[in-house]
Amino acid sequence: MNVTGTAHKVGDHIDTDAIIPARFLVTTDAKELGANCMEGLEAGWVERVKENDVMVGGVNFGCGSSREHAPISILGAGIPVVIAHSFARIFYRNGFNMGLVLLEIGDDIDKFSDKDEIEVDTATGAIKNLTTGVTVQAAAVPPFMQEILNAGGLVEYAKKKLA
């Protein structure tokens, strides 16, 4: 999958309550959750997001509770990919289970700024900053996890395998 969009940079230790505050957990509808994505960080944050934009996180992105609503809200906001220095482990697993692409790039995260134009190739792990011309390399998404993503998440993948 190739994604090209604007970077929306957030800080370190962004927890799941910042991604989708508990008061919005009354639904599992992706669009409804997406309308409130990052509301715990900044009111109205999602209003500047366009379809296929890329979230850029710092250290330990997705820490906190293990709510599946967090990756669903990111997807519902139109963001198919999050790149970060690192991810909280349970968020990492939940993200892929929900169909959200997550790529860790360590200290190379500093090569991306808010509003940079970014191109991501999930098959190879190449992430190009179109604004600066810099390309960094994340680990490619393994083929079995790519199958889960292509299916739209783990539940849809399992349904297809059992059909």
Side-chain angles (χ1 to χ4, degrees):
M1 173 172 63
N2 289 317
V3 174
T4 302
T6 302
H8 297 281
K9 195 161 188 178
V10 296
D12 294 338
H13 308 290
I14 299 297
D15 65 27
T16 54
D17 200 47
I19 297 168
I20 188 70
R23 67 184 180 273
F24 299 113
L25 301 183
V26 295
T27 183
T28 56
D29 180 76
K31 287 295 177 191
E32 283 186 50
L33 291 168
N36 297 294
C37 183
M38 303 306 282
E39 195 70 15
L41 180 67
E42 176 189 330
W45 182 92
V46 75
E47 293 170 11
R48 61 179 167 259
V49 174
K50 295 184 297 299
E51 194 76 22
N52 287 323
D53 280 353
V54 178
M55 190 175 293
V56 179
V59 174
N60 200 28
F61 184 89
C63 59
S65 69
S66 63
R67 61 181 70 148
E68 290 86 1
H69 295 77
I72 294 170
S73 74
I74 294 169
L75 286 164
I79 298 171
V81 177
V82 179
I83 62 173
H85 180 283
S86 59
F87 294 95
R89 290 298 109 198
I90 198 153
F91 179 85
Y92 187 81
R93 210 42 239 167
N94 281 340
F96 277 95
N97 287 346
M98 296 299 122
L100 180 63
V101 178
L102 304 171
L103 298 173
E104 288 187 346
I105 59 173
D107 290 338
D108 281 341
I109 202 68
D110 294 333
K111 296 177 180 171
F112 298 90
S113 298
D114 196 45
K115 299 181 183 162
D116 283 350
E117 289 298 310
I118 297 178
E119 180 180 79
V120 180
D121 182 341
T122 62
T124 66
I127 305 166
K128 184 171 186 178
N129 186 327
L130 299 174
T131 303
T132 65
V134 172
T135 300
V136 301
Q137 187 65 45
V141 175
F144 75 95
M145 289 176 77
Q146 192 65 55
E147 287 182 45
I148 292 170
L149 292 168
N150 291 342
L154 187 59
V155 171
E156 294 304 315
Y157 173 80
K159 286 179 184 176
K160 288 179 183 177
K161 287 292 185 182
L162 295 174

